[in-house]
Amino acid sequence: MSPEQLSAAAMSLAAAVDAGGDELPEPESARARAVVSKVAERTALVGGRTVVALAGATGSGKSSLFNALVGDAVAKVGVRRPTTSTATAAVWGEEPVAELLDWLGVGTRHTVSRDATPGAQVGTLDGLVLLDLPDFDSRELENRTEAERVLELVDLFVWVTDPQKYADSRLHDDYVAALSSHEAVTMVVLNQADRLTAPEVEQCRADLVRLMERDGVPRATVLATSVTAGTGIDELRQRLANAVAGRTAARARLAGDVRASAQSLRGHVAPGEEQVDATARSELLETLARSAGVPTVLQAVARDYRMEAAGRTGWPFTRWVHRLRPRPLRRLRLDGRDVSVSEADVRSVLGRSSLPPPTPAARAAVDLATRRLADRAGRDLPTPWAEAVERAATPPGAALGDALDQAVVGTSLHARVPIWWRVAGAAQLVLAATALVGLLWLALYVVLGFLQLDLVVGDPPTWGVVPVPLVLLVVGLLAGLLLALLSRWFARIGARRRARVMDQRLRVSIETVAQERIVLPVQRVLERHAATRAALDRAADV
Ligand SMILES: Nc1nc2c(ncn2[C@@H]2O[C@H](COP(=O)(O)OP(=O)(O)OP(=O)(O)O)[C@@H](O)[C@H]2O)c(=O)[nH]1
Ligand SMILES: [Mg+2]
């Protein structure tokens, strides 16, 4: 694994924690953030160094092994248990190491001179920083804290155990299993092998491999050593030399941490997410339209149309009456006139309609629809995510109501005057004029008759037996009435059609509100969930 892959994985982990936000449990998030900064810090320090810790229960021989590897009695070996209480470092090689040891927080340092290193592999441990740790299951709290702190930071973990304690279940459950995610960087040393016969050593090693497997560390390397007899030490040194030469232990350890953290967070996101359900969305739209008063508006639109049609195409002698009646859309302040500011009128300043507020039933229906939408979208998500979806689907307080009202007010209910209104209106005027001409003509004859001048002008012209002025009067009146009735019938059809057009327009506006206030916020939570999942998968794949 290259340094680039490691830092990409750490970046993915950071991205996952960011995207997951409050929906991920805080302890795991904090742990992941710590891992991310450890990767950044350790890779900045990595150089050619490999940090190896000897860790294990008290009396297993960590300090003795440490001294054997160093070739000098640097660490204190004692009979009083526990002996070691702070970490001691031994450093091989010339490369400056102070910064790294400061970061590790190890004060006691010993530089191994080449001459003092026994064995054939002189120099092969160059680059090794070996740590002797206090016992990690100590009855002394301070020892335990110190061991745990340093173990968090080291690259390679050598578990030193002995024939008495190697099978201690508490050790396995509390420590080894916890370290299982760093399987690549765990080595097991069965020390004090001189206390056993050769077959027993083999038996113990086999046991240990099996136990490690149960702890989640398959194919563990188990070395048998004895400090007193001097066996196995060279092999251990060789293994450490290999790790140093590979210089991958540091990155492998960090990668193990990134992977473990990503995997534990992965348990808090679902394997996939639902999309916002189309049925739930259309159900929501329906209830929002009702709650926004769309049926009321449409009734007003239809009535308005019929009244306007009657005013323009009705019988000219009575149609002025229609103009006196209040117009329904105007009453709802939806005729588009009140949106301009009239200072005296707060409602119009705010651009509000005068639509009646939604009934409790309509409001409950909206609640139900949003909840259903949220339930479906968050169905398969872990609880915190499902709750986030629910919150996103529920805009606070009056915000939704206001937005809906704005949507209705902002929708133009304006439509062009239908041509048939103009034609029928003009025809009505012609017919009325005809009737009037007939009437005046008749009146002329009546007056002339009264003045006994009818003999001078003679009889009016006739069609058949009926005098033309009478024909004009009667036809003008009757045809006007008929046209008015016909127009009213047409107006009813036209009103329905216009209501449908306005219904479409209002629904587009309301759909925008539903989209902006409910659907998009829900989708954003779902996208955040998907982003978290994808980033965790990338981080766990390192
Ligand atoms: N028989 C035998 N005794 C050993 C061996 N290695 C260490 N000992 C003895 O075991 C005892 C404990 O050794 P230490 O090296 O102090 O053990 P430690 O793991 O550092 O112990 P703490 O510092 O208390 O955690 C000492 O008396 C050692 O002499 C070994 O390979 N064989
Ligand atoms: Mg010790």
Coordinates of all heavy atoms in Angstrom, one line a residue, residues 303-365:
R303 N -66.3 31.2 -10.9 CA -67.4 32.2 -10.7 C -67.0 33.5 -11.4 O -67.8 34.2 -12.0 CB -67.6 32.3 -9.3 CG -68.5 31.2 -8.8 CD -69.4 31.7 -7.6 NE -69.0 32.9 -7.1 CZ -69.6 33.5 -6.0 NH1 -70.5 32.8 -5.4 NH2 -69.2 34.6 -5.6
D304 N -65.7 33.8 -11.2 CA -65.2 35.1 -11.8 C -65.4 35.1 -13.3 O -65.9 36.1 -13.9 CB -63.7 35.2 -11.4 CG -63.3 36.6 -11.3 OD1 -63.7 37.3 -10.3 OD2 -62.7 37.1 -12.3
Y305 N -65.1 33.9 -13.8 CA -65.2 33.8 -15.3 C -66.6 34.0 -15.7 O -67.0 34.7 -16.6 CB -64.7 32.4 -15.7 CG -64.7 32.2 -17.2 CD1 -63.5 32.3 -18.0 CD2 -65.9 31.8 -17.8 CE1 -63.5 32.1 -19.3 CE2 -65.9 31.6 -19.2 CZ -64.7 31.7 -19.9 OH -64.7 31.5 -21.3
R306 N -67.5 33.3 -15.0 CA -68.9 33.4 -15.4 C -69.5 34.8 -15.2 O -70.2 35.3 -16.1 CB -69.8 32.4 -14.5 CG -69.5 30.9 -14.9 CD -70.6 30.1 -14.4 NE -70.8 30.1 -12.9 CZ -70.2 29.3 -12.1 NH1 -69.3 28.4 -12.5 NH2 -70.3 29.5 -10.8
M307 N -69.1 35.5 -14.2 CA -69.5 36.8 -14.0 C -69.0 37.8 -15.0 O -69.7 38.6 -15.6 CB -69.1 37.3 -12.6 CG -70.0 36.7 -11.5 SD -69.4 37.1 -9.9 CE -70.0 38.8 -9.7
E308 N -67.7 37.6 -15.3 CA -67.1 38.5 -16.3 C -67.8 38.2 -17.7 O -68.1 39.2 -18.4 CB -65.6 38.2 -16.4 CG -64.9 38.9 -17.5 CD -64.1 40.1 -17.0 OE1 -63.6 40.0 -15.9 OE2 -63.9 41.1 -17.8
A309 N -68.0 36.9 -18.0 CA -68.7 36.6 -19.2 C -70.1 37.2 -19.3 O -70.5 37.8 -20.3 CB -68.7 35.1 -19.4
A310 N -70.8 37.1 -18.2 CA -72.1 37.7 -18.2 C -72.1 39.2 -18.4 O -72.9 39.7 -19.1 CB -72.8 37.3 -16.8
G311 N -71.1 39.8 -17.8 CA -70.9 41.2 -17.9 C -70.6 41.7 -19.3 O -71.0 42.7 -19.8
R312 N -69.9 40.8 -20.1 CA -69.5 41.2 -21.4 C -70.5 40.7 -22.5 O -70.5 41.2 -23.6 CB -68.1 40.7 -21.7 CG -67.1 41.4 -21.0 CD -65.7 40.8 -21.3 NE -64.7 41.4 -20.5 CZ -63.8 42.2 -21.0 NH1 -63.9 42.6 -22.3 NH2 -62.8 42.7 -20.3
T313 N -71.1 39.5 -22.2 CA -71.9 38.9 -23.3 C -73.4 38.9 -22.9 O -74.2 38.3 -23.7 CB -71.4 37.5 -23.6 OG1 -71.7 36.7 -22.4 CG2 -69.9 37.4 -23.9
G314 N -73.8 39.3 -21.8 CA -75.2 39.3 -21.3 C -76.0 40.3 -22.1 O -75.5 41.0 -23.0
W315 N -77.2 40.3 -21.7 CA -78.2 41.2 -22.4 C -77.8 42.6 -22.0 O -77.7 43.0 -20.8 CB -79.6 40.9 -21.9 CG -80.7 41.1 -22.9 CD1 -80.5 41.0 -24.3 CD2 -82.0 41.6 -22.6 NE1 -81.7 41.3 -24.9 CE2 -82.6 41.7 -23.9 CE3 -82.7 41.9 -21.5 CZ2 -83.9 42.1 -24.0 CZ3 -84.0 42.2 -21.6 CH2 -84.6 42.4 -22.9
P316 N -77.6 43.5 -23.0 CA -77.1 44.8 -22.7 C -78.0 45.6 -21.7 O -77.5 46.4 -21.0 CB -77.0 45.5 -24.0 CG -76.9 44.4 -25.0 CD -77.6 43.3 -24.5
F317 N -79.3 45.3 -21.8 CA -80.2 46.1 -20.9 C -80.1 45.8 -19.5 O -80.5 46.5 -18.6 CB -81.6 45.9 -21.4 CG -81.7 46.3 -22.9 CD1 -81.9 45.2 -23.8 CD2 -81.7 47.6 -23.3 CE1 -81.9 45.5 -25.2 CE2 -81.7 47.9 -24.7 CZ -81.9 46.9 -25.6
T318 N -79.5 44.6 -19.2 CA -79.5 44.2 -17.7 C -78.0 43.9 -17.3 O -77.8 43.7 -16.1 CB -80.3 43.0 -17.4 OG1 -79.9 41.9 -18.3 CG2 -81.8 43.2 -17.6
R319 N -77.1 43.9 -18.2 CA -75.8 43.3 -17.8 C -75.0 44.2 -16.9 O -74.1 43.8 -16.2 CB -75.0 42.9 -19.0 CG -74.4 44.1 -19.9 CD -73.7 43.4 -21.0 NE -73.1 44.4 -21.9 CZ -72.7 44.1 -23.2 NH1 -72.9 42.9 -23.6 NH2 -72.2 45.0 -23.9
W320 N -75.3 45.5 -16.9 CA -74.6 46.4 -16.0 C -74.8 46.0 -14.5 O -74.0 46.2 -13.7 CB -75.1 47.8 -16.1 CG -76.6 48.0 -16.0 CD1 -77.5 47.9 -17.0 CD2 -77.3 48.3 -14.8 NE1 -78.8 48.0 -16.6 CE2 -78.7 48.3 -15.2 CE3 -77.0 48.6 -13.5 CZ2 -79.7 48.6 -14.3 CZ3 -78.0 48.8 -12.6 CH2 -79.3 48.8 -13.0
V321 N -76.0 45.2 -14.3 CA -76.2 44.8 -12.9 C -75.0 43.9 -12.4 O -74.6 44.0 -11.3 CB -77.5 43.9 -12.8 CG1 -77.7 43.4 -11.4 CG2 -78.7 44.8 -13.3
H322 N -74.5 43.0 -13.4 CA -73.4 42.1 -13.0 C -72.2 42.9 -12.5 O -71.4 42.4 -11.7 CB -73.0 41.3 -14.2 CG -74.1 40.3 -14.6 ND1 -74.4 39.2 -13.9 CD2 -74.9 40.3 -15.7 CE1 -75.4 38.6 -14.5 NE2 -75.7 39.2 -15.6
R323 N -72.0 44.1 -13.1 CA -70.8 44.8 -12.8 C -70.8 45.4 -11.4 O -69.8 45.7 -10.8 CB -70.6 46.0 -13.8 CG -70.6 45.5 -15.2 CD -69.8 46.2 -16.1 NE -69.9 45.5 -17.4 CZ -69.1 45.8 -18.4 NH1 -68.3 46.8 -18.4 NH2 -69.2 45.1 -19.5
L324 N -72.0 45.5 -10.8 CA -72.1 46.0 -9.5 C -71.8 45.0 -8.4 O -71.4 45.3 -7.3 CB -73.6 46.5 -9.2 CG -74.0 47.6 -10.1 CD1 -75.4 48.0 -9.7 CD2 -73.1 48.8 -10.0
R325 N -71.9 43.7 -8.8 CA -71.6 42.6 -7.8 C -70.1 42.5 -7.5 O -69.3 42.6 -8.4 CB -72.2 41.3 -8.3 CG -73.7 41.3 -8.2 CD -74.1 39.9 -7.9 NE -75.2 39.5 -8.8 CZ -75.3 38.4 -9.5 NH1 -74.3 37.6 -9.5 NH2 -76.3 38.2 -10.2
P326 N -69.7 42.2 -6.3 CA -68.3 42.0 -6.0 C -67.7 40.8 -6.7 O -68.4 39.8 -6.8 CB -68.2 41.8 -4.5 CG -69.6 41.4 -4.1 CD -70.6 42.0 -5.1
R327 N -66.5 40.9 -7.2 CA -65.9 39.8 -7.9 C -65.2 38.9 -6.9 O -64.4 39.3 -6.1 CB -64.9 40.3 -8.9 CG -65.6 41.2 -10.0 CD -66.3 40.4 -10.9 NE -65.4 39.6 -11.7 CZ -64.7 40.0 -12.8 NH1 -65.0 41.2 -13.2 NH2 -63.9 39.2 -13.4
P328 N -65.4 37.5 -7.1 CA -64.8 36.6 -6.1 C -63.3 36.6 -6.0 O -62.8 36.6 -4.9 CB -65.3 35.2 -6.6 CG -66.3 35.5 -7.7 CD -66.2 36.9 -8.1
L329 N -62.6 36.7 -7.1 CA -61.1 36.7 -7.0 C -60.6 38.0 -6.3 O -59.6 37.9 -5.6 CB -60.5 36.6 -8.4 CG -60.5 35.2 -9.0 CD1 -59.8 35.3 -10.4 CD2 -59.7 34.3 -8.1
R330 N -61.4 39.1 -6.6 CA -60.9 40.3 -5.9 C -61.1 40.2 -4.4 O -60.3 40.6 -3.6 CB -61.8 41.5 -6.5 CG -61.6 42.7 -5.7 CD -61.4 43.9 -6.7 NE -61.0 45.1 -5.9 CZ -59.7 45.3 -5.5 NH1 -58.8 44.4 -5.7 NH2 -59.4 46.3 -4.7
R331 N -62.2 39.5 -4.0 CA -62.5 39.3 -2.6 C -61.4 38.5 -1.9 O -61.0 38.7 -0.8 CB -63.8 38.7 -2.4 CG -64.8 39.7 -1.7 CD -65.9 39.0 -1.0 NE -66.6 38.1 -1.9 CZ -67.8 37.7 -1.8 NH1 -68.5 38.2 -0.8 NH2 -68.4 36.9 -2.6
L332 N -60.8 37.6 -2.7 CA -59.7 36.7 -2.1 C -58.4 37.4 -2.3 O -57.3 36.9 -2.0 CB -59.7 35.4 -2.8 CG -60.9 34.5 -2.6 CD1 -60.7 33.2 -3.4 CD2 -61.0 34.1 -1.1
R333 N -58.4 38.6 -2.8 CA -57.2 39.4 -3.2 C -56.3 38.6 -4.1 O -55.0 38.5 -4.0 CB -56.4 39.7 -1.9 CG -57.1 40.6 -1.0 CD -56.5 40.6 0.3 NE -56.0 41.9 0.8 CZ -56.7 43.0 0.9 NH1 -58.0 43.0 0.6 NH2 -56.2 44.1 1.4
L334 N -56.9 37.9 -5.0 CA -56.1 37.1 -6.0 C -56.2 37.6 -7.4 O -55.9 36.9 -8.3 CB -56.5 35.6 -5.9 CG -56.1 34.9 -4.6 CD1 -56.7 33.5 -4.6 CD2 -54.6 34.9 -4.5
D335 N -56.8 38.9 -7.5 CA -56.9 39.4 -8.9 C -55.7 40.1 -9.4 O -55.7 40.7 -10.4 CB -58.1 40.3 -9.0 CG -58.0 41.4 -7.9 OD1 -57.1 41.3 -7.1 OD2 -58.8 42.4 -8.0
G336 N -54.6 39.9 -8.6 CA -53.3 40.5 -9.0 C -53.2 42.0 -8.8 O -52.2 42.6 -9.1
R337 N -54.2 42.6 -8.2 CA -54.1 44.0 -8.0 C -53.4 44.4 -6.6 O -52.8 45.5 -6.5 CB -55.5 44.7 -8.0 CG -55.9 44.9 -9.5 CD -57.2 45.6 -9.5 NE -58.1 44.8 -10.3 CZ -59.3 45.1 -10.5 NH1 -59.9 46.1 -9.8 NH2 -60.1 44.4 -11.3
D338 N -53.6 43.6 -5.6 CA -53.2 44.0 -4.3 C -51.7 43.7 -4.0 O -51.2 44.1 -3.0 CB -54.0 43.3 -3.3 CG -55.3 44.1 -3.0 OD1 -55.3 45.3 -3.4 OD2 -56.2 43.6 -2.3
V339 N -51.1 43.1 -4.9 CA -49.7 42.7 -4.6 C -48.8 44.0 -4.6 O -47.9 44.1 -3.8 CB -49.2 41.7 -5.7 CG1 -47.7 41.3 -5.3 CG2 -50.0 40.4 -5.6
S340 N -49.2 45.0 -5.4 CA -48.4 46.2 -5.3 C -48.7 46.9 -4.0 O -49.8 46.7 -3.4 CB -48.9 47.2 -6.4 OG -50.3 47.5 -6.2
V341 N -47.7 47.6 -3.5 CA -47.8 48.0 -2.1 C -48.8 49.1 -1.9 O -48.8 50.2 -2.5 CB -46.4 48.5 -1.6 CG1 -46.5 49.1 -0.2 CG2 -45.4 47.4 -1.7
S342 N -49.7 48.9 -1.0 CA -50.6 49.9 -0.5 C -50.3 50.0 1.0 O -50.6 49.1 1.7 CB -52.1 49.6 -0.8 OG -52.8 49.5 0.4
E343 N -49.8 51.1 1.4 CA -49.2 51.2 2.7 C -50.2 50.9 3.9 O -49.8 50.3 4.9 CB -48.5 52.5 3.0 CG -47.5 52.8 1.9 CD -46.1 53.1 2.5 OE1 -46.0 52.9 3.7 OE2 -45.3 53.6 1.7
A344 N -51.4 51.3 3.6 CA -52.3 51.1 4.7 C -52.7 49.7 5.0 O -53.1 49.3 6.0 CB -53.6 51.9 4.3
D345 N -52.4 48.8 4.0 CA -52.9 47.5 4.1 C -51.8 46.5 4.3 O -51.0 46.1 3.4 CB -53.7 47.1 2.8 CG -54.4 45.8 3.0 OD1 -54.1 45.0 3.9 OD2 -55.4 45.6 2.2
V346 N -51.7 46.1 5.6 CA -50.5 45.2 5.9 C -50.6 43.9 5.1 O -49.5 43.5 4.6 CB -50.6 44.8 7.4 CG1 -49.5 43.9 7.8 CG2 -50.6 46.1 8.3
R347 N -51.7 43.4 5.0 CA -51.8 42.1 4.3 C -51.3 42.3 2.9 O -50.5 41.4 2.4 CB -53.3 41.6 4.2 CG -53.8 41.1 5.5 CD -55.2 40.6 5.4 NE -55.2 39.3 4.7 CZ -55.0 38.2 5.4 NH1 -54.8 38.2 6.7 NH2 -55.1 37.1 4.7
S348 N -51.6 43.4 2.2 CA -51.2 43.5 0.8 C -49.7 43.8 0.8 O -49.0 43.4 -0.1 CB -52.0 44.6 0.1 OG -51.6 45.9 0.6
V349 N -49.2 44.5 1.9 CA -47.7 44.8 1.9 C -47.0 43.4 2.0 O -46.0 43.2 1.3 CB -47.4 45.6 3.1 CG1 -45.8 45.7 3.3 CG2 -47.9 47.0 2.9
L350 N -47.6 42.5 2.8 CA -46.9 41.2 2.9 C -47.2 40.3 1.7 O -46.7 39.3 1.6 CB -47.4 40.5 4.2 CG -46.9 41.1 5.5 CD1 -47.6 40.4 6.6 CD2 -45.4 41.1 5.6
G351 N -48.1 40.8 0.8 CA -48.4 40.0 -0.3 C -49.2 38.8 0.0 O -49.1 37.8 -0.6
R352 N -50.0 38.9 1.0 CA -50.8 37.7 1.4 C -52.2 37.7 0.7 O -52.7 38.8 0.4 CB -51.1 37.8 3.0 CG -49.8 37.6 3.8 CD -49.8 36.2 4.4 NE -48.6 36.0 5.0 CZ -48.3 36.4 6.3 NH1 -49.2 37.1 7.0 NH2 -47.1 36.2 6.8
S353 N -52.7 36.6 0.6 CA -54.0 36.5 0.1 C -55.0 36.6 1.3 O -54.6 36.7 2.4 CB -54.2 35.1 -0.5 OG -54.3 34.1 0.5
S354 N -56.3 36.7 0.9 CA -57.3 36.7 2.0 C -58.0 35.3 2.0 O -59.1 35.2 2.4 CB -58.3 37.8 1.8 OG -57.7 39.0 2.0
L355 N -57.2 34.3 1.6 CA -57.8 33.0 1.6 C -58.0 32.6 3.1 O -57.2 32.9 3.9 CB -56.9 32.0 1.0 CG -56.9 31.9 -0.5 CD1 -55.7 31.1 -1.0 CD2 -58.2 31.2 -1.0
P356 N -59.1 31.8 3.3 CA -59.3 31.4 4.7 C -58.2 30.4 5.1 O -57.6 29.7 4.2 CB -60.6 30.6 4.7 CG -60.9 30.4 3.2 CD -60.2 31.4 2.5
P357 N -57.7 30.4 6.4 CA -56.6 29.5 6.7 C -57.1 28.1 6.6 O -58.3 27.8 6.6 CB -56.4 29.8 8.2 CG -57.6 30.5 8.7 CD -58.3 31.1 7.5
P358 N -56.1 27.1 6.4 CA -56.5 25.7 6.2 C -57.2 25.2 7.4 O -57.0 25.6 8.6 CB -55.2 25.0 6.0 CG -54.1 25.9 6.5 CD -54.7 27.3 6.4
T359 N -58.2 24.3 7.2 CA -58.9 23.7 8.3 C -58.0 22.8 9.0 O -57.0 22.3 8.4 CB -60.1 22.9 7.7 OG1 -59.6 21.9 6.9 CG2 -61.1 23.8 6.9
P360 N -58.3 22.4 10.3 CA -57.5 21.5 11.0 C -57.4 20.1 10.2 O -56.3 19.5 10.2 CB -58.3 21.3 12.3 CG -59.0 22.5 12.5 CD -59.4 23.0 11.1
A361 N -58.5 19.8 9.6 CA -58.4 18.5 8.8 C -57.4 18.6 7.7 O -56.6 17.6 7.5 CB -59.8 18.2 8.3
A362 N -57.4 19.7 7.0 CA -56.4 19.8 5.9 C -55.0 19.8 6.4 O -54.1 19.2 5.8 CB -56.7 21.1 5.1
R363 N -54.8 20.5 7.6 CA -53.5 20.5 8.1 C -53.0 19.1 8.6 O -51.9 18.7 8.3 CB -53.5 21.5 9.3 CG -52.2 22.3 9.3 CD -52.2 23.4 10.3 NE -53.2 24.4 10.1 CZ -53.7 25.2 11.0 NH1 -53.4 25.0 12.3 NH2 -54.5 26.2 10.7
A364 N -54.0 18.4 9.2 CA -53.6 17.0 9.6 C -53.3 16.2 8.4 O -52.4 15.3 8.5 CB -54.8 16.4 10.4
A365 N -54.0 16.4 7.3 CA -53.7 15.6 6.1 C -52.3 15.9 5.6 O -51.6 15.0 5.2 CB -54.8 15.9 5.0

